[in-house]
Amino acid sequence: MADFSNLCSFYVNSLLRNTLVLKQKISCWLASILLSVTIALPAFAQDLVVYTYDSFNTEWGPGPVVFKAFEEQCSCKVQVIAPGDSGSVMSRTILEKANPKADVLLGVNDSELAKSFKHDLWEPYRSPNLDRVPEELRLDPKHRVTPFDYGYIAFVYDSERLTSPPKSLADLTDPRFAGKVVIESPKTSSPGLSMLHWTVAVYGEEGYLDYWDRLRPNLLTITDGWSAAYGMFTKGEVPIVLSYVTSPAYHVEYEQTDRYKALDFPEGMFRQVEFAGILKGAKNQQRAREFIDFMLTSGFQDVIPLTNWMYPVAPEKELPDSYQAAVRPAKTLTLSPEEIEANNERWLRSWSRTMAQ
């Protein structure tokens, strides 16, 4: 019995020793494979995470083209998150300020800059390519944000449904347009906020609320974002929509129709400049700087006209022929970021009270 026990003990110990040796061999073999695979793989950098508004990253927007071009240039992957209109993106970024989930926020316009500056969202960066941009579009001397395109908000109408369109901002309040206009909310939408500032620029502190009070009966609805408003317009639910002077060029380019027309109001048209910037606390600062540089090159700028339907800030090509359908305003209106920063919250509160009556 003792001999049998000793024999069993011998075989068990021998088996344990062989198992340990086998384990060591397998570990070395796996480590060798892993090392060879790692060496063979391309050295991709960490992902760049970009927040932008929804229409920028649709299949017909510039996003799929410009982000792919940047990926090819940087040998990295770009993760794009587009949760809604620019106002929604801004709100999300502010909520995440203490622990930013994105590296770059793309699509803030000059009407929204004051809010972003107040919340101290940006890591300043001056791109060497900024010299290509006209000085009047460089609105931030501290280089917290960098412009990438610009345009003019405008009322666009369907000439097949409306034979006598409004001739001015004041004429838009005429009762004959009751229930025929759709706009975007200044609390959630980029063009909506620009329209609020447009009325301040035209009528001043003393008159802009009176204008909104007169306009209110003509508004069929106020949507949260541009996509919803313009969708109602193209579906024929309303003949007048707040959009951009370049919107008719889209229909000429892709639908071969000139039925949709932008109105150039004599009071002046409000200019909107769009910006991108690096978020403070971003995990991929260097890659974000490379993206801002790329944004001011032809790989990004020349894509803008036929996808984002705005004017590029540093074009290298002539504008497409379809842009002949875009109105070039006779008079440009703006408000300074400082004026907006000082008054914007009060304007919005007063607007909300007026529209709730």
Side-chain angles (χ1 to χ4, degrees):
M1 199 70 177
D3 291 340
F4 180 75
S5 297
N6 290 337
L7 185 63
C8 286
S9 180
F10 170 80
Y11 279 113
V12 167
N13 289 334
S14 176
L15 180 61
L16 289 172
R17 284 195 300 273
N18 289 338
T19 300
L20 181 60
V21 170
L22 182 60
K23 276 180 158 183
Q24 291 173 337
K25 287 183 177 180
I26 290 174
S27 297
C28 292
W29 178 64
L30 288 174
S32 176
I33 290 177
L34 182 60
L35 179 62
S36 63
V37 169
T38 302
I39 293 172
L41 286 173
F44 284 118
Q46 288 180 299
D47 288 350
L48 179 74
V49 182
V50 178
Y51 278 178
T52 189
Y53 51 87
D54 49 6
S55 62
F56 190 92
N57 204 47
T58 57
E59 60 181 340
W60 57 86
V65 177
V66 298
F67 294 132
K68 181 179 179 181
F70 181 68
E71 286 180 330
E72 293 173 352
Q73 176 178 302
C74 70
S75 296
C76 64
K77 296 297 291 182
V78 178
Q79 180 185 1
V80 184
I81 301 172
D85 207 341
S86 62
S88 302
V89 180
M90 172 74 75
S91 297
R92 177 169 176 167
T93 305
I94 292 170
L95 288 173
E96 296 174 351
K97 176 186 170 183
N99 183 26
K101 303 297 189 296
D103 303 300
V104 171
L105 173 55
L106 183 150
V108 179
N109 70 60
D110 40 352
S111 290
E112 300 166 312
L113 285 184
K115 185 176 183 180
S116 74
F117 293 162
K118 176 182 177 181
H119 287 277
D120 192 25
L121 297 179
W122 309 106
E123 184 68 36
Y125 173 64
R126 189 192 191 284
S127 170
N129 296 333
L130 189 63
D131 293 334
R132 303 175 184 178
V133 179
E135 195 163 341
E136 65 268 20
L137 300 179
R138 303 183 217 166
L139 302 184
D140 180 24
K142 296 182 180 179
H143 307 300
R144 290 161 291 187
V145 292
T146 302
F148 65 88
D149 68 14
Y150 72 99
Y152 304 86
I153 62 168
F155 283 94
V156 177
Y157 77 100
D158 183 347
S159 63
E160 293 185 5
R161 299 189 60 220
L162 194 65
T163 56
S164 180
K167 295 179 172 57
S168 66
L169 203 58
D171 192 30
L172 189 66
T173 66
D174 190 284
R176 74 182 188 277
F177 300 117
K180 294 183 178 180
V181 183
V182 61
I183 66 167
E184 303 83 12
S185 171
K187 295 189 291 185
T188 56
S189 165
S190 164
L193 185 58
S194 290
M195 186 188 171
L196 175 61
H197 294 163
W198 185 11
T199 60
V200 172
V202 171
Y203 295 102
E205 289 272 0
E206 68 285 351
Y208 81 101
L209 291 176
D210 177 66
Y211 176 80
W212 280 98
D213 191 49
R214 289 184 286 120
L215 178 65
R216 185 159 42 92
N218 291 356
L219 301 177
L220 179 65
T221 190
I222 300 174
T223 66
D224 287 337
W226 177 88
S227 297
Y230 209 77
M232 291 180 63
F233 173 69
T234 55
K235 290 174 184 175
E237 297 176 35
V238 67
I240 305 173
V241 63
L242 177 65
S243 190
Y244 295 88
V245 296
T246 48
S247 296
Y250 167 85
H251 299 284
V252 171
E253 180 74 27
Y254 290 119
E255 299 173 358
Q256 291 76 52
T257 180
D258 60 357
R259 66 183 283 185
Y260 305 111
K261 302 181 185 297
L263 297 161
D264 183 8
F265 288 161
E267 295 100 332
M269 307 298 287
F270 197 83
R271 187 187 68 193
Q272 187 182 92
V273 184
E274 289 195 294
F275 299 84
I278 302 168
L279 294 174
K280 184 171 289 187
K283 297 176 178 63
N284 299 301
Q285 295 272 338
Q286 180 56 38
R287 193 62 70 197
R289 288 191 285 270
E290 291 172 9
F291 179 80
I292 298 297
D293 294 343
F294 167 77
M295 189 178 72
L296 297 179
T297 64
S298 61
F300 188 107
Q301 289 289 298
D302 291 339
V303 175
I304 289 295
L306 291 182
T307 54
N308 213 36
W309 298 97
M310 299 280 275
Y311 295 100
V313 297
E316 295 190 16
K317 293 181 179 179
E318 293 291 328
L319 289 170
D321 291 342
S322 56
Y323 266 62
Q324 294 177 20
V327 170
R328 275 291 193 175
K331 181 180 179 181
T332 297
L333 297 174
T334 62
L335 295 176
S336 71
E338 294 77 19
E339 185 177 2
I340 294 172
E341 183 172 11
N343 299 288
N344 198 56
E345 289 187 9
R346 178 171 54 81
W347 290 338
L348 281 169
R349 286 195 302 269
S350 298
W351 178 88
S352 296
R353 286 194 298 267
T354 298
M355 302 307 285
Q357 293 176 7

